[in-house]
Amino acid sequence: MSLYFDAVNILTEPSSGGSFKSRIYSSRNLRAPPAQIYALIIETSKWDRVLAEIIEKTDLLRLERKLNPLLALLLVHDHLIAKKGIAAPTAHVLRQAVERHKVRLRAEFVKARVRRGCASVEQLKTAVMREKREASGTDDFIYPRWVRINNILTTFDDQMRTTFSSYRKVESLADLAPEEDNRDARKLLYIDPHIPDLVAVPYGADFTTSSAYKNGEIILQDKASCFPAYLLLGDRGLENPWDGDLVDGCAAPGNKTTHMASLLAKQRQKNEARKQVFCMDASRVRSKTLQKMVSLAGADPIVTVLQGQDFLALDPTEDRFENVSGLLLDPSCSGSGIIGRDDVPQLILPKSTTLPPSKHGKKRKRQEKEDDQDEQETKSTVVASSISPSDENDIPADAVDQERLTKLSNVQARIVEHALSFPRATHVTYSTCSIHLIENEAVVERVLKTKVAREGGWRLLRREEQAEGLRKWEHRGVRVDRVTEGAVESDLTVDLSDEALEACVRCWPGDAEGLGGFFVAGFVRDLGNATPAVKIKESEDSSEGGSEDPEEWDGFSD
């Protein structure tokens, strides 16, 4: 029964930020497996309208005082929909509270299908999801499921011949929109034109039982979160591989880290020495998730996880970092840009009917005590120790005020500035899943004015220097905050040049690109603009057998 109490707790406790899935996998004292909790909540959210309808028509909440609306929704879902029914012993009081009404519940389930003119349960599911989209007003937005092919373990061609062999290719994201009563509607495939080895399939496509998913050959990763690694490593091939080691400074749960490793795998000759990727997260719990994600993706030979390591506490001059030439930074942010398919499910709950007043006898007091015990059980919390290829940046953090945004931007700027101090670093990417100017272009402007940036010769990677797919990306940086409705009011503007704004990459929630809000910018080191002291130091290092003359670097090679 802990599965249902844990699910109730996850849905009702205050958000600590981060993605919905990561909240589940990072929660403490979980008794049920995190994957089961996540699956229960997501599947129930697809059926909530009809389940609430059935619960109300059977008067279940009035008849069974032990059940609250959310718990009833989860239990009735498993009773009616799950193949194995309610995951609790037959004698458990809450399972019995549902199953003693099984005849009426199933009768109302059939009536709900008949009312919608559905010949099958699958058609009913499609109809209910359509009702949800129409009620939420999101019919015009396309939120597909993005799937990245992991080049460490497989290739794009191999996956087209196996996992996606039965899929029909379409020419646009709009073509992935669900088709009425079409069982084959999910067998559609869109090959992304901006990010190599990334495809999109219709919302609702399930890969959790596929061998490619279980083996880490495909990874579910939002398109926007693929931008940072691609911006950092570009379209380099076997003729022009990445030179040096890499650092992911804020890495959990690990999708961006494994994306870097995947891009490196495409650049490596068969017998060539592997480049090293260092990744870290200050939280030891999240670090365990990170390590499991790295292992599942087959990236252990490439990636070293520094568990519980705060990036700001790293010493850039340590010997182990002497060959680090690129850093990827995706620090904590407000999460204001996150929207879409895996937002925290806003479940439609059944309405309960209040019982008439009754005398408080011994039986009533005993009932209240039992109810209190059940309520306490629903307030338990959980710990997760497992991970699977997962979406990241799924949900927004709670609303933040201007003071909170300012604190976040201060930390973000410190993190980028620290990255620029790595002696041999030539490339740094900075990203957030925020739409706020103060966390994005304002951080870029602030960093470019720092001493370490000016003395090190750091500048933005221009649009024409970016990887081919990102050069074609239309949405760029802004000078004035575009955020209006429901957001923090701010008069903030930035004084970046038009060229600098063109160097910044933006994604906006709710547009035809099928993404949430996201921002990424690349910093590159141009030693022609460095101070004399830095030039002399680099020259000395080069003469001692270091990397090739940095002054010859001319942006990403496409």
Side-chain angles (χ1 to χ4, degrees), residues 40-55:
L40 171 64
I41 294 172
I42 294 301
E43 287 304 311
T44 301
S45 72
K46 297 175 183 177
W47 290 93
D48 59 351
R49 292 179 70 86
V50 71
L51 293 175
E53 180 183 305
I54 290 169
I55 291 169

Side-chain angles (χ1 to χ4, degrees), residues 140-144 146 173 223-225 227 335-340 432-441 473-485 487 501-502 504-520:
D140 294 333
F141 302 141
I142 305 298
Y143 290 108
W146 296 97
L173 284 176
K223 175 177 175 176
S225 77
F227 282 12
S336 55
I338 302 169
I339 191 172
T432 74
C433 51
S434 170
I435 55 177
H436 295 300
L437 191 79
I438 190 173
E439 296 181 271
N440 298 325
E441 290 87 355
W473 184 255
E474 176 184 353
H475 308 290
R476 296 286 153 170
V478 296
R479 198 180 305 281
V480 180
D481 228 325
R482 267 180 54 175
V483 183
T484 53
E485 184 179 353
L501 292 178
E502 279 292 296
C504 300
V505 176
R506 277 272 195 170
C507 304
W508 297 98
D511 65 12
E513 302 290 354
L515 305 174
F518 200 82
F519 174 89
V520 61

Side-chain angles (χ1 to χ4, degrees), residues 180-197:
E180 300 286 333
D181 302 330
N182 185 350
R183 290 188 177 184
D184 296 325
R186 295 183 184 178
K187 294 290 186 177
L188 301 175
L189 181 75
Y190 174 69
I191 299 175
D192 186 72
H194 302 104
I195 304 294
D197 307 311

Side-chain angles (χ1 to χ4, degrees), residues 105-166:
L105 287 168
R106 293 200 173 277
E108 289 298 337
F109 187 52
V110 173
K111 290 179 183 179
R113 179 165 57 83
V114 172
R115 278 194 297 272
R116 291 167 172 83
C118 299
S120 67
V121 173
E122 189 64 29
Q123 288 181 4
L124 176 60
K125 184 178 183 180
T126 301
V128 173
M129 292 180 69
R130 182 170 62 248
E131 291 174 11
K132 286 175 66 70
R133 290 194 304 274
E134 291 171 353
S136 63
T138 59
D139 249 5
D140 294 333
F141 302 141
I142 305 298
Y143 290 108
R145 178 165 292 284
W146 296 97
V147 183
R148 176 171 62 80
I149 293 161
N150 178 17
N151 289 288
I152 303 170
L153 300 176
T154 186
T155 66
F156 180 87
D157 291 340
D158 284 344
Q159 290 305 305
M160 291 302 107
R161 287 193 298 266
T162 55
T163 305
F164 301 105
S165 61
S166 61

Side-chain angles (χ1 to χ4, degrees), residues 13-301:
E13 69 181 359
S15 171
S16 57
S19 73
F20 177 49
K21 181 172 283 188
S22 70
R23 279 179 56 193
I24 296 176
Y25 279 87
S26 300
S27 296
R28 297 183 180 277
N29 303 321
L30 264 184
R31 291 167 293 173
Q36 289 185 21
I37 298 169
Y38 179 76
L40 171 64
I41 294 172
I42 294 301
E43 287 304 311
T44 301
S45 72
K46 297 175 183 177
W47 290 93
D48 59 351
R49 292 179 70 86
V50 71
L51 293 175
E53 180 183 305
I54 290 169
I55 291 169
E56 289 173 4
K57 288 184 178 296
T58 57
D59 212 12
L60 183 65
L61 292 174
R62 185 182 71 82
L63 297 171
E64 300 293 343
R65 291 292 312 281
K66 290 181 180 296
L67 301 178
N68 61 46
L70 182 52
L71 191 57
L73 201 72
L74 297 168
L75 288 165
V76 172
H77 169 272
D78 274 11
H79 174 67
L80 294 174
I81 309 298
K83 292 181 180 179
K84 296 183 179 180
I86 296 175
T90 305
H92 195 285
V93 64
L94 293 184
R95 176 169 174 172
Q96 291 182 341
V98 173
E99 291 186 344
R100 60 174 146 254
H101 304 279
K102 62 182 179 182
V103 175
R104 295 187 62 202
L105 287 168
R106 293 200 173 277
E108 289 298 337
F109 187 52
V110 173
K111 290 179 183 179
R113 179 165 57 83
V114 172
R115 278 194 297 272
R116 291 167 172 83
C118 299
S120 67
V121 173
E122 189 64 29
Q123 288 181 4
L124 176 60
K125 184 178 183 180
T126 301
V128 173
M129 292 180 69
R130 182 170 62 248
E131 291 174 11
K132 286 175 66 70
R133 290 194 304 274
E134 291 171 353
S136 63
T138 59
D139 249 5
D140 294 333
F141 302 141
I142 305 298
Y143 290 108
R145 178 165 292 284
W146 296 97
V147 183
R148 176 171 62 80
I149 293 161
N150 178 17
N151 289 288
I152 303 170
L153 300 176
T154 186
T155 66
F156 180 87
D157 291 340
D158 284 344
Q159 290 305 305
M160 291 302 107
R161 287 193 298 266
T162 55
T163 305
F164 301 105
S165 61
S166 61
Y167 281 67
R168 176 169 61 87
K169 294 179 182 178
V170 297
E171 300 300 320
S172 70
L173 284 176
D175 293 333
L176 297 177
E179 301 175 18
E180 300 286 333
D181 302 330
N182 185 350
R183 290 188 177 184
D184 296 325
R186 295 183 184 178
K187 294 290 186 177
L188 301 175
L189 181 75
Y190 174 69
I191 299 175
D192 186 72
H194 302 104
I195 304 294
D197 307 311
L198 184 72
V199 300
V201 294
Y203 167 76
D206 184 14
F207 292 96
T208 56
T209 59
S210 72
S211 59
Y213 177 89
K214 291 178 179 179
N215 297 334
E217 294 174 355
I218 60 172
I219 292 176
L220 306 184
Q221 180 173 356
D222 287 342
K223 175 177 175 176
S225 77
C226 294
F227 282 12
Y230 185 45
L231 183 65
L232 182 66
L233 296 175
D235 293 312
R236 297 170 180 271
L238 296 176
E239 301 79 16
N240 184 31
W242 178 264
D243 182 25
D245 294 335
L246 296 161
V247 167
D248 186 345
C250 317
N255 279 341
K256 296 180 182 68
T257 299
T258 58
H259 190 198
M260 283 198 294
S262 178
L263 290 169
L264 287 177
K266 289 184 72 173
Q267 303 172 12
R268 188 173 62 87
Q269 298 284 356
K270 185 174 181 179
N271 297 319
E272 182 185 1
R274 296 174 186 265
K275 302 298 188 296
Q276 181 66 57
V277 179
F278 297 97
C279 66
M280 65 210 67
D281 194 277
S283 164
R284 290 198 173 274
V285 173
R286 287 173 60 85
S287 292
K288 291 178 181 178
T289 296
L290 173 60
Q291 180 63 70
K292 292 185 178 182
M293 182 65 185
V294 167
S295 298
L296 186 62
D300 282 322

